[in-house]
Amino acid sequence: MNYSIGFTDLNASLHELEDNDLDALMADLVADLNATEEKLAAESKDHPSSSSSSSSGSSLPTPTVNNFGFPSPTVAPAFTTTSISMPAPAPAPAPPPAPAPAPAPALAPALAPAPGGPKGSISPPPPSQTSKLSKEEMEAQTKADKIKLALEKLKEAKVKKLVVKVEMSNGSSKTLMVDERQTVRDVLDNLFEKTHCDCNVDWCLCETNPDLQIERGFEDHENMVEPLSAWTRDSENRVLFQERKDKYAVFKNPQNFYLWKKDKNTLKDMKDKEKEMLLEENFCGTSIIVPDLEGLLHLKEDGKRSWKPRYFLLRASGMYYVPKGKTKTSRDLVCMVQFDNVNVYYAKDYKNKYKAPTDYCFILKHPQIQKESQYIKYLCCDDKWTMTLWVTGIRIAKYGMALYDNYKTAVQKTTASTSWTDRINSNASTPSPTLKAKAANGHAPKPAQDTASKGLSNQPAFPPPPPATEILPPPPPDPVLPPPPPPAMFSKGPLPPPPPAMFSKGPLPPPPPAMFPKGPLPPPPPPSSMGGCFPPPPMDDLPPPPPPDNDDSETPPDFLPPPPPAMGFPSSLPRGGALPPPPPDPVPPPPACPSGGPLPPPPPPPPPPPAPAPAAAAATRPTVRKSGPPPPKRTTPVAAAPSGGDFMNELMLAMQKKRTQP
Amino acid sequence: MAAWDLTVTVEELGPEAPPLKVSVTSDLHIGGVILKIVEKTQMKKDWSDHALWWEQKKQWVLRAGWTLDKCGIHADARLNFMPQHKPLRLGLPNGATVRLKASFSAPVFRCVMGICRILNIRHPEELSLLRPMEEKKKKKDKSQEEVYELTDALPNAASMLTLSNGMPAHFAQSAEHEAVYKMLSISQPAPAPETIAKTYRPSNVVEKAEVNGRWLDSSRSLLQQEINENDKLLIRFKYYSFYEIEPKHDAVRLTQLYEQARWAILLEEIDCTEEEMMLFAALQYHIGKVSLTEPQIASCPAMDDLDSALQCLELKLDEEGSSGADMLETMTPAPELHDYLKIFRPKRLTLKGYKQFWFTFKDTSISYYKSKEESFREPIQQMNLKGCEVTPDVSIAGQKFCIKLLIPEPDGMNEVYLRCENEQQYSKWMAACRLASKGKTLADTSYSSEVESIESFLAMQRTNPGTASAQTDESINTHSLVSPRYQKKYKPKQLTPRILESYQNVAQLSLTEAIQKFLQIWQALPDFGVSYFVVRFKGGRKDEVLGIANNRLIRIDLSVGDVVKTWRYNTMRQWNVNWDIRQVAIEFNGNVNIAFSCVTADCKIVHEYIGGYIFMSTRSKAPTDTLNEELFHKLTGGHEAL
């Protein structure tokens, strides 16, 4: 199956979106927003930034904040969960102490155009660090943590995001928000959840350029946004989501690449052990060994029209050829290109386009070059296998160890996801995600499929609505697997926005959240306020969706929180926050996770509050996470920073437009 | 049993003294003989290291429990009573010579273990001893080469790991020893170009093969191989299979390995391309420079990182301490560069030549304006340097400081030259361009060090190319960094910009990182780790070359140099040596049999190489640190195996 992700430009892509895409995206966004804000609240709580931390208090009960384990004064009205109004990260200027209802969200001032709303309130004096307990180390630690957090926030503020439309080969589509810190691996994981493909290691995101008739599979460790940013505004480039056997072929059958000179037949029945040995030899030493490729290729370069045969050699340092009349000793070789600044692409149908001797061509070019240029090196091989050899060899030379690491990660993911699918399968309420992706795509009518996958994808993204959870059987204790998605979700499909209930759950104070639930339906709120609503998502949930794994593990129910109003939290918290999966912490989650607030107390098998939500009481976050199923997946990508504000506006406008001109 | 006189020469009595006659019976064991000798000498000293050497048979009589009869010693035997450990001059990979006590009685394999313990090199099995090239007589005229004394260093098992003052305990005993350790663990300054040019270097594969004929036999002792006290031997990494290099414990090993690799490159023992040579040169320059500044002893990179991170943190804390809120302010104003520079764009066929504009550098972009006054307006052009190629085009002599930028754009690369007035300006802008090409801004912490390293590299050009000086603080002759081939091909002036270009990619590396990078690139060379031997294959009419690497044997055509065939060890069933006809026979899977005799080396050396590599490959499975000496000898010993 081919999902293709079309991407052009934020604006353009938004306008091109289908209604339902927009809705879905919107829903995602809002949910994420919610989550993010909660998280932020938590963060800022963790982080009573020496100065400003404070808060615009709110009508909500104020959980007492215990600063870094100090028996510190409970900072009274400070830090309620109303982070919405005070998403300002640490460095924000001190807000007034007033428990202002903060109708309009304040933005971290430096980070984005401040919305009209009152800026946060000035905060009470910084929580005394001088507490008796304070050992210097601890102080240093906390300070360090704070700084780190602050820096992260700042970074966050500048995060760039792209909207990417995902289409399948059958015409259906998905829309992703990709933020610039996400790697291709992250995006793949995301797609694995949104589609129910078999998640094998060959799945690949691949970029095509119709102008040049080329395509290239992104490497898993690559940054996703970067290559996409190189596309021109009017680009017709696409990103495909497809299985590519050549992606990791070298690790499955290293002998074909490293012993390519040998007889094909002997290579065929190479034993696994020997393959392992080859891998070890070439990838596990102090230095990566590049396959010793050499042979005659045809080169078209420097804008010339003709293809010249040359004898090429691949070395770790670059691609060389033997000049006329010379031998192939190292000293005589001429370097055609080194790989630091170029990528390698498969080319299609160059016999027609450039009168190439065969159709098995590849090119080397700077990723930013999008059109025909003399700076592109065009190469033509005699047969397909030679082409695969060279392209793979060049990838090894260019990426080295990273490639092997990618593969190992991919294999891990596959095994993990297999168990996930199995698990889902056992659950009746889920719509057969075990269907092989191919089949599903091939035959399922688009909407149905969309729905199904949406549902799947939503599951992580949205905290399950409370009612749904009540209906559901308690999540099985299996730590690895997320609880089955509530059926309700599925039925809803991509169309309706998430139930408002969800929002109320959040620690949001009534006024601003109100806007959100409505979000997709009524006219969008004034842009300014909207913009304000996007606090930079905290760094820690970055590697986006922490996959449902054992972190949120054992005995979720046990952790279910007798809500102690306050608790000392591990001093390491802020740091922990920066790490993707919170360390399993046996501490019972304290103040009824924010969700507890407006919601009915969670049932024993707790409907997981959105992970970030626990934020409410900073201290509790890690524990809470554990207590529930996986945290919302899509928080980060979507939560737009200051720029996000603009994005939201655009999104809203686009939607409005669509609606008005059916 | 009848008593008879045994003739024993005792070294301690001096060469003039007549041999002692000791009255013995044939059933007296060796220990008893030694006791009698000691008594007879009437000297009081520690004799524990002494043993008997049987001159005629060229062998040690080491089994104290054996009787003379069992050893086959009769009245006609002439024995020498001498210490087993004697001084040996050892040529290190870095070219220095150290004198230390080595065992002349143990097999070379164990002797090397002892030497490595003194030198503090882990994994001694990877090294071995090599006879030096025959030196020409005239060299004697020269003043004695400098020799580092290490004869009285007595390492014990613990002292390798116990660090005192950042070095193994046995080096911390005296200032001299500390100096030796410094020599061992810090790379040597770049040699003068003449030194490189004069040093022997193999010019073809046959000469490369000859080197390998000089390895000592690992299963016999030094004395058995006619190495005498105070003779010179070279110690080198013999098997190119380096196990678990840990910078923390392997300061000497890493440095010596680097030195061996560097000399292999400089002397063209291993071929590389021009691009690779420039990178090697840049790394050598960088390593030389950093070694001077970075106190390597007791430094472990991780700790350093931590230290600097902590310092950095403290600094920030101080700043922040007063008012946390202003932290944001201190961070937001991104540094910028402004100046008048000249620009030239070869693409546009306008007037050829540089035109002056007012330039600003902000984030990763360069903008330019007609003049400073116009700078608040829209720039004439703005160029984002992210992902661009930056190449220096500098000549100090010509006072030319240009930066060549290849800026990628959708329809190709945009070629731009920026011309600066002077070194300072150039360094600043160049550093900014470099960072921007990697997507970093001027605010990046590495900016100032980048500026600095560019400045210091420029200083290289200031030195008079005529004077061939070794590396000092700032100046270096770039000819010291490349092999003679490139010394001939390029003038130092021409080399500088090329090396500078590569240098940009490595300038930020720490010392250990740089050394490791050097080794990595070395190991990635296609010919890396292949030891050559000229052999005659069974049934073949002409000499051919056999290459032995850590995972394969390679048959190479002698005249053309092409690889004819490769056999991998893991397809090897067995190998045998017919010691009578000195022929090595190897059987591979699939009933492939080869046999050859060795021309440039004893077949024992070839046999030992193959067995040695197989031994090296068994190491990873054994988690323990102890060396399986027995296995080594089994694999390499041949018919004389223990």
Side-chain angles (χ1 to χ4, degrees), chain A residues 183-190 192-193 197-203 220 247-248 405-421 480 543-549 580 633:
Chain A
T183 62
V184 171
R185 179 77 252 165
D186 297 333
V187 179
L188 277 177
D189 289 345
N190 205 339
F192 283 171
E193 274 152 23
C197 70
D198 60 359
C199 305
N200 74 48
V201 295
D202 292 332
W203 284 102
D220 289 358
K247 186 181 185 188
Y248 289 128
D405 289 341
N406 288 345
Y407 173 68
K408 286 187 283 190
T409 315
V411 170
Q412 273 171 14
K413 299 266 175 185
T414 308
T415 17
S417 62
T418 317
S419 51
W420 189 73
T421 15
V480 186
D549 62 17
K633 297 278 171 168

Side-chain angles (χ1 to χ4, degrees), chain B residues 203-395:
Chain B
S203 58
N204 56 41
V205 70
V206 176
E207 288 182 12
K208 285 180 193 169
E210 272 158 7
V211 176
N212 287 317
R214 307 204 310 261
W215 290 106
L216 294 187
D217 184 341
S218 296
S219 31
R220 297 194 299 148
S221 67
L222 290 182
L223 206 57
Q224 281 176 298
Q225 301 183 62
E226 285 160 2
I227 307 296
N228 293 309
E229 184 171 346
N230 270 326
D231 278 358
K232 180 162 182 181
L233 288 178
L234 308 177
I235 188 166
R236 294 287 184 270
F237 292 87
K238 178 177 180 184
Y239 300 103
Y240 294 90
S241 164
F242 312 114
Y243 189 60
E244 270 189 355
I245 294 182
E246 289 171 33
K248 203 174 154 195
H249 297 298
D250 285 329
V252 178
R253 185 175 171 218
L254 206 52
T255 307
Q256 297 303 322
L257 189 55
Y258 160 68
E259 291 282 351
Q260 185 167 333
R262 167 214 234 174
W263 281 103
I265 304 277
L266 289 180
L267 298 179
E268 295 163 12
E269 284 163 24
I270 182 167
D271 260 342
C272 64
T273 64
E274 196 169 311
E275 285 71 21
E276 287 155 356
M277 181 59 85
M278 296 308 145
L279 185 51
F280 282 128
L283 279 166
Q284 285 179 71
Y285 169 75
H286 183 62
I287 291 167
K289 185 165 148 259
V290 188
S291 309
L292 293 174
T293 51
E294 199 171 294
Q296 198 205 17
I297 289 178
S299 79
C300 128
M303 286 300 286
D304 285 352
D305 288 354
L306 192 65
D307 279 349
S308 60
L310 282 174
Q311 270 172 7
C312 181
L313 195 62
E314 272 165 31
L315 211 68
K316 278 183 194 148
L317 281 169
D318 288 346
E319 284 171 12
E320 192 214 29
S322 47
S323 58
D326 66 11
M327 183 173 159
L328 197 62
E329 269 83 5
T330 61
M331 301 197 53
T332 34
E336 297 175 19
L337 289 179
H338 308 273
D339 223 332
Y340 276 107
L341 303 177
K342 290 176 178 164
I343 189 170
F344 167 53
R345 324 177 56 120
K347 246 186 171 175
R348 313 227 161 140
L349 295 170
T350 50
L351 288 173
K352 198 177 173 181
Y354 287 88
K355 276 186 120 185
Q356 179 164 297
F357 291 96
W358 175 254
F359 281 78
T360 61
F361 203 119
K362 192 180 173 190
D363 292 329
T364 59
S365 298
I366 288 185
S367 314
Y368 61 93
Y369 311 85
K370 211 165 185 185
S371 69
K372 187 175 180 179
E373 291 68 34
E374 305 259 313
S375 61
F376 59 92
R377 300 203 184 158
E378 279 291 296
I380 298 172
Q381 201 195 358
Q382 184 170 20
M383 304 173 281
N384 190 346
L385 302 193
K386 207 167 163 183
C388 78
E389 285 178 39
V390 187
T391 329
D393 180 9
V394 177
S395 150

Side-chain angles (χ1 to χ4, degrees), chain A residues 100-112:
Chain A
L107 251 211
L111 304 182

Side-chain angles (χ1 to χ4, degrees), chain A residues 374-394:
Chain A
Q374 54 164 332
Y375 294 95
I376 299 178
K377 314 277 183 211
Y378 304 85
L379 289 142
C380 180
C381 312
D382 286 346
D383 51 53
K384 193 174 178 188
W385 173 240
T386 315
M387 175 175 72
T388 313
L389 263 184
W390 277 93
V391 171
T392 308
I394 292 168

Side-chain angles (χ1 to χ4, degrees), chain A residues 621-636:
Chain A
R621 199 160 36 92
T623 28
V624 171
R625 240 191 222 189
K626 230 179 309 147
S627 70
K633 297 278 171 168
R634 295 259 311 277
T635 45
T636 8

Side-chain angles (χ1 to χ4, degrees), chain A residues 110 143-144 147 151 154 232 262 278 281 286-287 315 317 320 331 335 341 366 368-371 373 375, chain B residues 271 273 275-276 313 317 328 331 387 389 408-413 415 485 520 523 525-526 551 566 568:
Chain A
K143 274 190 174 184
I147 289 174
L151 291 176
L154 285 177
T232 50
K262 300 240 175 193
L278 266 181
E281 251 174 54
T286 26
S287 142
R315 295 169 75 103
S317 57
Y320 294 79
R331 68 190 85 137
C335 184
N341 291 317
H366 193 289
Q368 250 148 309
I369 299 180
Q370 298 290 318
K371 298 190 177 110
S373 150
Y375 294 95
Chain B
D271 260 342
T273 64
E275 285 71 21
E276 287 155 356
L313 195 62
L317 281 169
L328 197 62
M331 301 197 53
E389 285 178 39
E409 282 177 359
D411 49 356
M413 302 292 248
E415 205 172 331
R485 177 176 301 123
Q520 273 171 17
Q523 293 179 57
L525 295 176
N551 58 358
T566 304
R568 296 170 51 80

